Amino acid sequence: MPQRTLLIVLFDGVQSLDVTGPLEVFNGAEQHTPGTYRIRTASLDGGPVRTSSGLALVPDEALTEAADPDTLLVPGGRGTRSPDPRLTEWLRTHGPRARRLVSVCTGAILLAAAGLLDGRRATTHWAYCDKLARDHPALTVDPEPIYVRDGQVSTSAGVTSGIDLALALVEEDLDRDVALAVARHLVVFLRRPGNQAQFSAQLAAQTAQREPLREVQRWITEHPAGDLTVESLAARARLSPRHFARAFREETGMTPGRYVDRVRLEHARRLLEDTSDGVEEISRASGYGTPEAMRRAFAKALGTAPAEYRRRFRPTTTP
């Protein structure tokens, strides 16, 4: 197996975890299987950079002297807001030469500025998805998943999602056992698929301002198997169904039905990951009623069946 070179781009204002998270994953794979990865870091001029939290990082070399890597990783951070034009130009020239392009968080902004995301689907930190889409209409921004893979280009959401993406890339390069060994060493779960939402339903939706609507949000979360029709929820909020549906969407940013769907999906996923309950039992406890209804919900939202989801993302009990 040929050794793969990973080059991580450094710049002033970089987010430290965007760098160190994926670096630790790939280094863990190298420690597990020596000769797998050669990891390098580089800044424009080869000089030290200071991260957004004040940490000083000393690169291995200058970008102008770096050989074209197998994988080029571009982290995010405050430094992406007003990047050095030389960095954008370097990415425009050298990015296409890498077998695989990867961005973490707002590193996608740098790739987009270099024209490397045109015609592709991508994601970034939820707070910058609108800006990325507005500034670069030639790409399709998906604000939902924690990472998106489109051909040889992979983009991830906020900070820790870079670890999830790096684990997926290690699994692709080597195998699941190596990725799982690295995840165990880092004390993280090898369980978050790329299409997992950046936020849980409770975080994705805004908290309603009015107490009756906040109480309804709590009720939905605590009773996913309950009667969660608009009529029933409206009665709980002491509003007409029409008034309730309009007010809920205005105050939370999503319809009651969408919120219920997300809560039920998350509840089912947690039970599949953390319990040995059967699929039929989980479907009832999560409000789906039947395994077939839950299967359709999983296929639509995650592109997989509940049994396959459990096989892939339930943590092993073996030490």
Side-chain angles (χ1 to χ4, degrees), residues 252-268:
T252 69
M254 63 176 66
T255 65
R258 175 65 168 157
Y259 189 81
V260 168
D261 288 345
R262 285 196 170 195
V263 167
R264 284 177 167 164
L265 184 68
E266 286 173 13
H267 189 264

Side-chain angles (χ1 to χ4, degrees), residues 222-279:
E222 295 169 2
H223 302 85
D227 181 0
L228 303 182
T229 60
V230 169
E231 290 74 17
S232 175
L233 296 176
R236 182 166 294 277
R238 297 182 177 85
L239 297 171
S240 70
R242 183 175 181 179
H243 186 190
F244 168 77
R246 183 174 65 249
F248 190 95
R249 182 166 188 171
E250 288 175 351
E251 295 201 16
T252 69
M254 63 176 66
T255 65
R258 175 65 168 157
Y259 189 81
V260 168
D261 288 345
R262 285 196 170 195
V263 167
R264 284 177 167 164
L265 184 68
E266 286 173 13
H267 189 264
R269 286 165 65 164
R270 284 197 300 271
L271 293 178
L272 288 169
E273 293 169 3
D274 300 333
T275 76
S276 58
D277 296 347
V279 171

Side-chain angles (χ1 to χ4, degrees), residues 120-270:
R120 295 188 181 275
R121 177 171 162 260
T123 194
T124 186
H125 189 287
W126 63 269
Y128 294 91
C129 284
D130 287 346
K131 174 178 172 54
L132 183 63
R134 184 172 60 251
D135 293 348
H136 302 281
L139 64 93
T140 300
V141 179
D142 190 341
E144 290 286 333
I146 58 173
Y147 62 81
V148 169
R149 304 189 63 186
D150 187 338
Q152 75 270 30
V153 179
S154 300
T155 54
S156 63
V159 285
T160 57
S161 61
I163 295 175
D164 297 289
L165 175 54
L167 285 168
L169 297 176
V170 166
E171 182 175 355
E172 176 186 271
D173 290 344
L174 304 175
D175 57 40
R176 181 174 173 79
D177 289 342
V178 175
L180 184 57
V182 174
R184 286 173 178 163
H185 181 72
L186 296 177
V187 198
V188 296
F189 285 124
L190 183 65
R191 64 196 290 182
R192 294 211 298 175
N195 56 2
Q196 178 164 316
Q198 293 192 34
F199 281 133
S200 66
Q202 293 86 348
L203 292 178
Q206 303 167 41
T207 300
Q209 296 178 1
R210 284 178 276 181
E211 177 56 34
L213 296 181
R214 288 201 301 270
E215 172 57 30
V216 166
Q217 287 181 288
R218 288 193 293 267
W219 172 264
I220 293 171
T221 301
E222 295 169 2
H223 302 85
D227 181 0
L228 303 182
T229 60
V230 169
E231 290 74 17
S232 175
L233 296 176
R236 182 166 294 277
R238 297 182 177 85
L239 297 171
S240 70
R242 183 175 181 179
H243 186 190
F244 168 77
R246 183 174 65 249
F248 190 95
R249 182 166 188 171
E250 288 175 351
E251 295 201 16
T252 69
M254 63 176 66
T255 65
R258 175 65 168 157
Y259 189 81
V260 168
D261 288 345
R262 285 196 170 195
V263 167
R264 284 177 167 164
L265 184 68
E266 286 173 13
H267 189 264
R269 286 165 65 164
R270 284 197 300 271

Side-chain angles (χ1 to χ4, degrees), residues 102-117:
V102 178
S103 70
V104 181
C105 197
T106 54
I109 293 176
L110 296 179
L111 293 186
L116 300 174
L117 298 183

Side-chain angles (χ1 to χ4, degrees), residues 1-5 30 34-38 70 99 173-174:
M1 182 180 297
Q3 187 180 53
R4 297 174 171 87
T5 300
E30 167 62 23
T36 300
Y37 294 107
R38 178 175 180 264
D70 173 80
R99 179 181 69 88
D173 290 344
L174 304 175

